[in-house]
Coordinates of all heavy atoms in Angstrom, one line a residue:
C744 N 94.7 100.5 101.6 CA 94.3 101.7 100.7 C 94.4 101.3 99.3 O 95.3 100.5 98.9 CB 95.2 102.8 101.0 SG 94.9 104.3 100.0
I745 N 93.4 101.8 98.5 CA 93.5 101.6 97.0 C 93.4 102.9 96.4 O 92.5 103.7 96.7 CB 92.4 100.6 96.5 CG1 92.6 100.4 95.0 CG2 91.0 101.1 96.9 CD1 91.7 99.2 94.5
S746 N 94.4 103.2 95.5 CA 94.5 104.6 94.9 C 93.4 104.8 93.9 O 92.8 103.9 93.3 CB 95.9 104.7 94.3 OG 96.9 104.6 95.3
A747 N 93.2 106.1 93.5 CA 92.2 106.5 92.6 C 92.5 106.3 91.2 O 91.7 105.8 90.4 CB 91.9 108.0 92.8
N748 N 93.8 106.6 90.8 CA 94.1 106.6 89.3 C 94.6 105.3 88.8 O 94.2 104.8 87.8 CB 95.1 107.7 89.1 CG 94.5 109.1 89.1 OD1 93.3 109.2 89.2 ND2 95.4 110.1 89.1
D749 N 95.6 104.7 89.5 CA 96.3 103.5 89.0 C 95.9 102.2 89.8 O 96.5 101.2 89.5 CB 97.8 103.7 89.0 CG 98.4 103.9 90.4 OD1 97.6 103.9 91.4 OD2 99.6 104.2 90.5
D750 N 95.0 102.3 90.7 CA 94.6 101.1 91.5 C 95.7 100.5 92.3 O 95.6 99.3 92.7 CB 93.9 100.1 90.6 CG 92.6 100.5 90.1 OD1 92.0 101.5 90.6 OD2 92.1 99.9 89.1
S751 N 96.8 101.2 92.5 CA 97.8 100.7 93.4 C 97.3 100.6 94.8 O 96.4 101.3 95.2 CB 99.0 101.6 93.3 OG 98.8 102.9 93.8
T752 N 97.9 99.6 95.6 CA 97.4 99.4 96.9 C 98.5 99.4 97.9 O 99.7 99.1 97.6 CB 96.7 98.0 97.0 OG1 97.6 97.0 96.6 CG2 95.5 98.0 96.0
T753 N 98.1 99.6 99.2 CA 99.1 99.5 100.3 C 98.4 98.8 101.4 O 97.2 98.7 101.5 CB 99.5 100.9 100.8 OG1 98.4 101.6 101.2 CG2 100.2 101.7 99.7
Y754 N 99.2 98.2 102.3 CA 98.7 97.4 103.4 C 99.6 97.7 104.6 O 100.8 97.9 104.5 CB 98.8 95.9 103.1 CG 97.9 95.5 102.0 CD1 98.4 95.4 100.7 CD2 96.6 95.2 102.2 CE1 97.6 95.0 99.6 CE2 95.7 94.8 101.1 CZ 96.2 94.7 99.8 OH 95.4 94.4 98.8
G755 N 98.9 97.7 105.7 CA 99.6 97.8 107.0 C 100.4 96.5 107.2 O 100.1 95.4 106.8
D756 N 101.5 96.7 108.0 CA 102.4 95.5 108.2 C 101.7 94.4 108.9 O 102.0 93.2 108.7 CB 103.6 96.0 109.0 CG 104.6 96.8 108.2 OD1 104.5 96.8 107.0 OD2 105.4 97.5 108.8
S757 N 100.8 94.7 109.8 CA 100.1 93.7 110.5 C 99.1 92.8 109.7 O 98.8 91.7 110.2 CB 99.3 94.3 111.7 OG 98.3 95.2 111.2
V758 N 98.7 93.3 108.6 CA 97.8 92.5 107.7 C 98.3 92.1 106.4 O 97.7 91.4 105.6 CB 96.5 93.3 107.6 CG1 95.9 93.7 108.9 CG2 96.7 94.5 106.7
K759 N 99.5 92.5 106.1 CA 100.1 92.2 104.8 C 100.2 90.7 104.6 O 100.7 90.0 105.4 CB 101.5 92.9 104.6 CG 102.1 92.9 103.2 CD 103.3 93.8 103.2 CE 103.0 95.2 103.6 NZ 104.2 96.1 103.5
G760 N 99.8 90.3 103.4 CA 99.8 88.9 103.1 C 98.5 88.1 103.5 O 98.3 87.0 103.1
R761 N 97.7 88.8 104.3 CA 96.5 88.2 104.8 C 95.2 88.9 104.3 O 94.2 88.2 104.1 CB 96.4 88.1 106.3 CG 97.6 87.3 107.0 CD 97.4 87.2 108.5 NE 97.4 88.5 109.2 CZ 96.4 89.0 109.9 NH1 95.3 88.3 110.0 NH2 96.5 90.1 110.5
F762 N 95.3 90.2 104.1 CA 94.2 91.0 103.7 C 94.4 91.5 102.2 O 95.5 91.7 101.8 CB 94.0 92.2 104.6 CG 93.5 91.9 106.0 CD1 93.5 90.6 106.5 CD2 93.1 93.0 106.8 CE1 93.1 90.4 107.8 CE2 92.7 92.8 108.1 CZ 92.6 91.5 108.6
T763 N 93.3 91.6 101.5 CA 93.4 92.1 100.1 C 92.2 93.1 99.9 O 91.1 92.8 100.2 CB 93.2 90.9 99.1 OG1 94.2 90.0 99.3 CG2 93.3 91.5 97.7
I764 N 92.6 94.3 99.4 CA 91.6 95.3 99.1 C 91.3 95.2 97.6 O 92.2 94.9 96.8 CB 92.1 96.7 99.5 CG1 90.9 97.7 99.4 CG2 93.3 97.1 98.7 CD1 91.3 99.1 100.0
S765 N 90.1 95.4 97.2 CA 89.7 95.4 95.8 C 88.5 96.3 95.6 O 87.8 96.8 96.5 CB 89.4 94.0 95.3 OG 88.2 93.5 96.0
R766 N 88.3 96.7 94.3 CA 87.3 97.6 93.9 C 86.5 97.0 92.8 O 87.0 96.5 91.8 CB 87.9 99.0 93.5 CG 86.9 100.0 93.0 CD 87.4 101.4 93.1 NE 88.8 101.5 92.5 CZ 89.7 102.3 93.0 NH1 89.4 103.1 94.1 NH2 90.9 102.4 92.5
D767 N 85.2 97.1 92.8 CA 84.3 96.8 91.7 C 83.6 98.0 91.3 O 82.6 98.4 91.9 CB 83.3 95.7 92.2 CG 82.5 95.2 91.0 OD1 82.3 95.9 90.0 OD2 82.0 94.0 91.2
S768 N 84.1 98.7 90.3 CA 83.5 100.0 89.9 C 82.1 99.9 89.4 O 81.3 100.8 89.6 CB 84.4 100.6 88.8 OG 85.7 100.8 89.2
A769 N 81.7 98.7 88.8 CA 80.4 98.6 88.3 C 79.4 98.6 89.4 O 78.2 99.0 89.2 CB 80.3 97.3 87.4
K770 N 79.8 98.0 90.5 CA 78.9 98.0 91.7 C 79.1 99.1 92.7 O 78.4 99.2 93.7 CB 79.1 96.7 92.4 CG 78.7 95.4 91.6 CD 78.9 94.2 92.4 CE 78.5 92.9 91.6 NZ 78.7 91.7 92.4
N771 N 80.1 100.0 92.4 CA 80.4 101.1 93.3 C 80.7 100.6 94.7 O 80.2 101.1 95.7 CB 79.3 102.2 93.3 CG 79.8 103.5 93.7 OD1 81.0 103.9 93.4 ND2 79.0 104.3 94.4
M772 N 81.6 99.5 94.7 CA 81.9 98.9 96.0 C 83.4 98.7 96.1 O 84.1 98.5 95.1 CB 81.2 97.5 96.0 CG 79.7 97.5 95.9 SD 78.9 97.9 97.5 CE 79.2 96.3 98.4
V773 N 83.9 98.7 97.3 CA 85.2 98.4 97.7 C 85.1 97.3 98.7 O 84.3 97.4 99.6 CB 86.0 99.6 98.2 CG1 87.4 99.1 98.8 CG2 86.3 100.6 97.0
Y774 N 86.0 96.3 98.6 CA 86.0 95.1 99.5 C 87.3 95.0 100.2 O 88.4 95.5 99.8 CB 85.7 93.9 98.7 CG 84.5 93.9 97.9 CD1 84.5 94.2 96.5 CD2 83.2 93.6 98.5 CE1 83.4 94.2 95.8 CE2 82.1 93.7 97.7 CZ 82.2 93.9 96.3 OH 81.0 94.0 95.6
L775 N 87.2 94.4 101.4 CA 88.4 93.9 102.1 C 88.3 92.5 102.4 O 87.5 92.1 103.3 CB 88.6 94.8 103.4 CG 89.9 94.5 104.1 CD1 91.1 94.9 103.4 CD2 89.8 95.1 105.5
Q776 N 89.0 91.6 101.7 CA 89.0 90.2 102.0 C 90.0 90.0 103.1 O 91.2 90.3 103.0 CB 89.4 89.4 100.8 CG 89.5 87.9 101.0 CD 88.1 87.3 101.3 OE1 87.1 87.6 100.6 NE2 88.1 86.5 102.3
M777 N 89.6 89.4 104.2 CA 90.4 89.1 105.4 C 90.5 87.6 105.6 O 89.6 86.9 105.8 CB 89.8 89.8 106.6 CG 89.6 91.3 106.4 SD 89.0 92.1 108.0 CE 87.5 91.2 108.2
N778 N 91.8 87.1 105.4 CA 92.0 85.7 105.6 C 92.9 85.5 106.8 O 93.7 86.4 107.2 CB 92.7 85.1 104.3 CG 91.8 85.2 103.1 OD1 90.5 85.1 103.2 ND2 92.4 85.4 102.0
N779 N 92.9 84.2 107.3 CA 93.8 83.8 108.4 C 93.7 84.8 109.5 O 94.7 85.3 110.1 CB 95.3 83.7 107.9 CG 96.1 83.1 109.0 OD1 95.7 82.3 109.8 ND2 97.4 83.3 108.9
L780 N 92.5 85.1 109.9 CA 92.2 86.1 111.0 C 92.8 85.7 112.3 O 92.8 84.5 112.7 CB 90.7 86.4 111.1 CG 90.2 87.2 110.0 CD1 88.7 87.1 109.9 CD2 90.6 88.7 110.1
K781 N 93.3 86.7 113.1 CA 93.9 86.5 114.4 C 93.1 87.2 115.4 O 92.4 88.2 115.1 CB 95.3 86.9 114.3 CG 96.2 86.3 113.2 CD 97.6 86.9 113.2 CE 98.4 86.3 112.1 NZ 98.6 84.8 112.3
P782 N 93.2 86.8 116.7 CA 92.5 87.6 117.7 C 92.8 89.1 117.7 O 91.9 89.9 118.0 CB 92.9 86.9 119.0 CG 93.2 85.5 118.6 CD 93.8 85.6 117.2
E783 N 94.0 89.4 117.4 CA 94.4 90.8 117.4 C 93.8 91.6 116.3 O 94.0 92.8 116.2 CB 96.0 90.9 117.4 CG 96.6 90.1 116.3 CD 97.1 88.8 116.8 OE1 96.4 88.1 117.6 OE2 98.3 88.4 116.5
D784 N 93.1 90.9 115.4 CA 92.4 91.6 114.3 C 91.1 92.2 114.8 O 90.4 92.9 114.1 CB 92.2 90.7 113.1 CG 93.5 90.3 112.4 OD1 94.3 91.2 112.2 OD2 93.6 89.2 112.0
T785 N 90.7 91.8 116.0 CA 89.4 92.2 116.6 C 89.4 93.7 116.7 O 90.2 94.3 117.3 CB 89.1 91.6 117.9 OG1 89.1 90.2 117.8 CG2 87.9 92.1 118.6
A786 N 88.4 94.4 116.1 CA 88.3 95.8 116.1 C 87.0 96.2 115.3 O 86.4 95.4 114.7 CB 89.5 96.4 115.4

């Protein structure tokens, strides 16, 4: 999750350290970079 006002972020325990959320306001986009993917990430 990425907050509206201060851009603070939270992550689930299962993805912490591997996934990164970010926002590009100019493009009106939010991204989720997923690294070191595991079979249990399938969803």
Side-chain angles (χ1 to χ4, degrees):
C744 176
I745 184 165
S746 298
N748 288 349
D749 61 3
D750 291 340
S751 62
T752 59
T753 61
Y754 297 93
D756 290 340
S757 63
V758 305
K759 192 172 299 182
R761 299 188 297 121
F762 290 11
T763 303
I764 190 171
S765 62
R766 173 160 51 214
D767 187 335
S768 296
K770 297 180 179 179
N771 203 31
M772 300 278 286
V773 170
Y774 304 99
L775 184 69
Q776 179 67 46
M777 306 186 296
N778 298 326
N779 192 25
L780 285 162
K781 305 176 183 297
E783 50 264 45
D784 295 319
T785 297

